[in-house]
Amino acid sequence: MTVELICVGTELLLGNIVNTNAAYLAEQCAGLGLSCYFQTVVGDNGERLSMVLRTAMDRSDIVLLCGGLGPTEDDLTKETAAAVCGRELEMHEPSRTALERYFADRGMEPTQNNWKQAMIPRDSIVLDNHNGTAPGVILETEGAKVILLPGPPNELVPMFEESVAPYLETLSGQVICSRTVKVCGVGESKVETMVKDLIDAQTNPTLATYAKTGEVHIRVTASAQDRKTAWKLMKPLVKELKNRFGNDVYTTEEETTLEKAVVDLLIANDLTVSCAESCTGGMLSARLINVPGVSEVYKTGYVTYSNKAKRKTLGVKKGTLQKYGAVSAQVAEEMARGTALGTKADVAMAVTGIAGPDGGSEEKPVGLVYIACNVKGDVTVKKYQFSGSRSKIRESAVSAALILMRRCMLEYFSRVTFGKKD
Amino acid sequence: MTVELICVGTELLLGNIVNTNAAYLAEQCAGLGLSCYFQTVVGDNGERLSMVLRTAMDRSDIVLLCGGLGPTEDDLTKETAAAVCGRELEMHEPSRTALERYFADRGMEPTQNNWKQAMIPRDSIVLDNHNGTAPGVILETEGAKVILLPGPPNELVPMFEESVAPYLETLSGQVICSRTVKVCGVGESKVETMVKDLIDAQTNPTLATYAKTGEVHIRVTASAQDRKTAWKLMKPLVKELKNRFGNDVYTTEEETTLEKAVVDLLIANDLTVSCAESCTGGMLSARLINVPGVSEVYKTGYVTYSNKAKRKTLGVKKGTLQKYGAVSAQVAEEMARGTALGTKADVAMAVTGIAGPDGGSEEKPVGLVYIACNVKGDVTVKKYQFSGSRSKIRESAVSAALILMRRCMLEYFSRVTFGKKD
């Protein structure tokens, strides 16, 4: 079954906003097993919209339109779709009542324009809008099904989830489910090589890789008659991926980020953390603190950009700075030791590097970063060479720090557990 | 003159990525005075791409395609466009040499596939790609001009700026120039009210407002035969906006961000800065440190998320924390005073608040933030109530802190200057 998207809005044609609705709807439709071959953006213009809609109805089973359902004269998606489908608009009493209630609840008066939003093409399915004034509409013609949705994402998304997805599931008679295996600290090409045989052999479920900063996400997708069967189909493949990548898999939960996985590890093992940052300037702490509940484990962060701050705040030795320079394994190590000493944290991270665009040399080029992780006195220092803009280099360094921290903690746990066994 | 966009890529149809290229190209084309009525997304499929391209060439003067210029067999935008325009592909020696150099510079070997990227449709204009391996192509047919650009934004954007924009300017016979007046700390609706008369009276130049976190950007756009005339047309309007918004205008330079304006102010007045952050957890320091050259003025940052860290690191009194709570004007002030004392910075910032989703109460709801700015001992504390997600609240707090810091510095300068006059 094929679906096609038409997004209506002059602000899209002018590039004032990015078309996130198209990405959302496309992803949802793919997840429902529908094939999408075309997306179109057109302005609030009846003639051009009619042309685009006719073309879409000729070549696709389902046409999803979004935008242009507002109360003003410019908004003419519903009027145009009704005309193309040969339906008249009629006052829809339940929608009229819903509109009245919407305004009454907010202590506002509807304007004369608003009643236009309760006019619905004859013989269509009306979709309630709990977050705005424009109801959605499904027009079932002999050829295509035409579905009209409001443009604002906070109205479109809940309406799609509540009403459109169940309708489309019934049409297609199958569900598509996905799970993501998130791998950190392994390069994209290595991941691809390691799963090539699985990709070559795939039918259902299928497998795809997506590169992120410091991470690769492997998405497993299965289609089946129901959710439970799809889940069952994916299980052996997810297990195989976990076997192949071992500890480098930090989660198989959709909503778990790398920083959340790291914070969860700290909480589960009752460890506290402090950070000292030079070139990343607070970004590592900021990312950890984006995880709700981090207050249990986060102690203190230092941004020590200057040599003086490194000496004064973290106790880095003047001699070390002079001999090796601020961007060196030795200084990273002293930063991590000083942070642990000063804050009594179990885990202390330190980052020092050259983010550019200036400050690089042949010996120490822009992008050179040293990261140290001190787990209860055991310090690991790693050297990295990143590329890209100043902010890209800083972002890469933060991801690398989270990955190093996770790895050092896992190694520490395996040593401790081994020790206990003795 | 009309332009139409065709973005080629299966990942767009699947909703795996958001179509930021379309927004970028649409905005650039609008800025060049071109009218865009249609945008289409299509997959890497020769038949469907041909169909879409033919339709676009029939109804628009210029067709911009992006994506599908890569080295693999899936990439067939160039092959399809050449076929539709009736041109054969030929090896283009300068592109072949550029490819060889690209790989040699990186110490890599080109694969057999890569040579396909140096095959160019006969009689076309080749656009150099300094950031990747796919050259751009302009096909001038009797009807439309067809322009092919690579999909990755870091290749597309520089190629558009270097080669495509000047080409389109020549075609349209006019230039469109823009300047942005950036206002901070004034709400969007207030800005709109303050410029309503100017918008109502606009012809050339025109004026539009864009809301950002804590800022409103007012874009002035003029069209003229040449850049100099356009610039002259904009001058009085830019001056008028500067008069109306006074000190709230932090720059009229396109590339100057709020944090850069703040860092420039510190540098110009030989002032140093330190930050203490609770709910923003390092984001304020991170944003300041994103400005190259900040090392001249940035002293030390502290992330003191816990009460203990606030006491130990910044010297906030236990009694103050107990009496007023960590999120209070009193604690913000003590944090800012402690930071100045400990780091001897001229300017010390402190942020404390409730970022949520938990931790709010009726008296102190999620989104409540206190920010203190200490300029050489004079402390200003402001209370804010932000809304949105945890990360949105933190982002708003960082912008508010930069705005407060800028305002306090400007007030300090005016007092000092006034004092000197006495």
Side-chain angles (χ1 to χ4, degrees), chain B residues 263-278:
Chain B
V263 169
D264 286 349
L265 208 56
L266 288 163
I267 293 175
N269 293 281
D270 211 13
L271 295 177
T272 56
V273 64
S274 290
C275 304
E277 302 179 63
S278 183

Side-chain angles (χ1 to χ4, degrees), chain A residues 12-20 22-24 26-28 30 36-43 48-49 51-52 55 59 210 219 277-296 298-306 308-309 312-313 341-344 356-358 390-391 394, chain B residues 5 12-20 22-24 26-28 30 36-43 48-49 51-52 55 59 210 277-296 298-306 308-309 312-313 341-344 356-358 390-391 394:
Chain A
L12 291 166
L13 291 179
L14 289 172
N16 294 336
I17 55 171
V18 176
N19 197 352
T20 52
Y24 170 78
E27 192 171 31
Q28 295 298 314
C36 177
Y37 297 130
F38 302 97
Q39 296 170 2
T40 310
V41 174
V42 65
R48 289 191 282 269
L49 177 53
M51 185 169 98
V52 166
T55 306
R59 65 189 176 192
Y210 301 91
R219 186 176 298 168
E277 302 179 62
S278 183
C279 63
T280 48
M283 288 167 76
L284 175 58
S285 283
R287 217 170 133 184
L288 288 170
I289 290 179
N290 208 28
V291 181
V294 70
S295 54
E296 276 185 56
Y298 185 89
K299 293 200 98 166
T300 308
Y302 300 105
V303 181
T304 52
Y305 199 60
S306 63
K308 202 171 162 191
K312 219 191 114 188
T313 314
L341 202 69
T343 68
K344 299 194 176 58
D358 306 316
R390 181 175 176 87
S391 53
R394 297 169 77 214
Chain B
L5 310 182
L12 291 167
L13 291 179
L14 290 172
N16 294 335
I17 55 171
V18 176
N19 196 352
T20 52
Y24 170 78
E27 191 171 30
Q28 295 298 314
C36 178
Y37 298 130
F38 303 96
Q39 297 171 2
T40 310
V41 174
V42 64
R48 288 190 283 268
L49 177 54
M51 185 170 97
V52 166
T55 306
R59 65 188 176 191
Y210 300 91
E277 302 179 63
S278 183
C279 63
T280 49
M283 288 168 76
L284 175 59
S285 284
R287 219 170 131 183
L288 287 170
I289 290 177
N290 208 29
V291 181
V294 70
S295 54
E296 276 186 55
Y298 185 89
K299 293 200 99 166
T300 308
Y302 300 106
V303 181
T304 53
Y305 197 60
S306 64
K308 203 172 162 190
K312 218 191 114 189
T313 314
L341 202 69
T343 68
K344 298 195 177 60
D358 306 316
R390 184 175 174 88
S391 53
R394 297 169 77 214

Side-chain angles (χ1 to χ4, degrees), chain A residues 185-300:
Chain A
V186 186
E188 191 189 5
S189 54
K190 190 172 174 200
V191 171
E192 277 177 354
T193 312
M194 282 173 74
V195 299
K196 197 180 174 303
D197 59 316
L198 299 175
I199 289 182
D200 288 345
Q202 70 183 10
T203 47
N204 182 28
T206 59
L207 196 149
T209 61
Y210 301 91
K212 316 266 165 188
T213 305
E215 307 179 31
V216 180
H217 295 184
I218 309 174
R219 186 176 298 168
V220 178
T221 307
S223 83
Q225 281 163 297
D226 56 63
R227 207 158 282 277
K228 207 177 150 190
T229 315
W231 212 256
K232 222 168 145 183
L233 281 169
M234 291 189 284
K235 212 176 164 184
L237 190 51
V238 170
K239 201 178 157 191
E240 175 62 27
L241 290 169
K242 281 167 119 175
N243 278 342
R244 289 196 186 184
F245 292 97
N247 268 343
D248 295 328
V249 173
Y250 72 82
T251 191
T252 57
E253 301 293 325
E254 206 58 56
E255 62 283 356
T256 299
T257 57
L258 180 56
E259 56 269 30
K260 181 162 187 336
V262 168
V263 169
D264 286 349
L265 209 55
L266 288 163
I267 293 175
N269 294 281
D270 211 13
L271 294 177
T272 55
V273 64
S274 290
C275 305
E277 302 179 62
S278 183
C279 63
T280 48
M283 288 167 76
L284 175 58
S285 283
R287 217 170 133 184
L288 288 170
I289 290 179
N290 208 28
V291 181
V294 70
S295 54
E296 276 185 56
V297 292
Y298 185 89
K299 293 200 98 166
T300 308

